Amino acid sequence: MRKLVITQNITLDGSIEMLTSWFDPTAQTPDLLEETHRQDAEADAMLLGRRTFQDFRGYWPQQTDDTTGITGYLNAVDKYVVSSTISDPEWANSTVLTGGDLRGQVLDLKERDGRDIVATGSIQLTHSLIEAGLVDEYRLFVYPAVQGRGRRLFPENLEIPQLTHIGSASFSNGVVLSTYAAA
């Protein structure tokens, strides 16, 4: 069975919502970009909420001079967008997941042949995936910034008594990657 991995950029104080300029996807250091590509090679699908999907679709396909390889990856990877309002995703390799059975649809994706499925951004969707117990791994890129506000990775009042730490790495820009498996 494929793994569902939540990959999030997160501030030191726990915010995944970008309300200030603490994260710039085009300003990655070579060592962080290398890790991004390593993780991309392990995944062949992305699961996104409507807002994040529309943000990505409105930005990445237009980056014709992207030397990072991120545009190429995002254009090629299978993208699944959870939405009740989008009917035509208007981006290659994109499929809209509609209906009320998110758990069933995600379990179906996990049961298909392939590599990891990565969910990123998509705060409302991320919360739903966590609450449904569908997440196998968390990859948290902790940025050395304090935002002081913003939505968090885990839904309010949700308790997960134990996660298993499976790895860490630090990068030249001060970002620390911490990886946890669901117990």
Side-chain angles (χ1 to χ4, degrees):
M1 182 179 283
R2 298 162 84 180
K3 286 190 303 190
L4 176 61
V5 177
I6 288 183
T7 299
Q8 290 289 9
N9 299 303
I10 187 167
T11 61
L12 195 56
D13 62 337
S15 178
I16 60 172
E17 186 174 16
M18 249 180 55
L19 299 174
T20 60
S21 60
W22 60 268
F23 173 73
D24 178 354
T26 63
Q28 293 192 30
T29 56
D31 56 341
L32 183 55
L33 187 58
E34 182 180 331
E35 176 61 21
T36 299
H37 290 312
R38 188 193 67 72
Q39 289 186 24
D40 289 347
E42 294 177 358
D44 61 0
M46 290 191 78
L47 183 61
L48 303 166
R50 178 190 53 82
R51 284 184 220 136
T52 300
F53 176 81
Q54 288 175 323
D55 288 347
F56 278 27
R57 182 187 66 193
Y59 178 79
W60 286 108
Q62 285 71 44
Q63 304 311 302
T64 57
D65 60 348
D66 175 31
T67 59
T68 67
I70 295 172
T71 297
Y73 174 76
L74 290 175
N75 284 337
V77 71
D78 288 333
K79 294 166 286 295
Y80 297 92
V81 56
V82 177
S83 176
S84 60
T85 59
I86 294 176
S87 57
D88 181 359
E90 301 174 9
W91 193 6
N93 305 313
S94 297
T95 302
V96 179
L97 302 179
T98 59
D101 185 19
L102 175 65
R103 181 178 174 72
Q105 290 174 321
V106 172
L107 285 172
D108 179 60
L109 289 175
K110 289 177 72 170
E111 290 173 4
R112 295 180 190 176
D113 288 336
R115 298 187 302 268
D116 293 347
I117 304 164
V118 173
T120 192
S122 309
I123 298 169
Q124 186 175 343
L125 172 62
T126 297
H127 286 180
S128 296
L129 296 170
I130 293 169
E131 290 172 324
L134 293 167
V135 179
D136 300 297
E137 188 171 304
Y138 299 89
R139 297 177 187 158
L140 308 179
F141 288 89
V142 182
Y143 279 72
V146 174
Q147 186 169 253
R149 63 191 192 285
R151 291 181 289 171
R152 308 290 189 223
L153 172 61
F154 294 98
E156 193 72 30
N157 298 315
L158 176 81
E159 184 177 329
I160 301 176
Q162 182 69 42
L163 296 172
T164 303
H165 181 253
I166 57 176
S168 340
S170 59
F171 304 96
S172 60
N173 60 353
V175 172
V176 175
L177 168 64
S178 292
T179 305
Y180 298 89

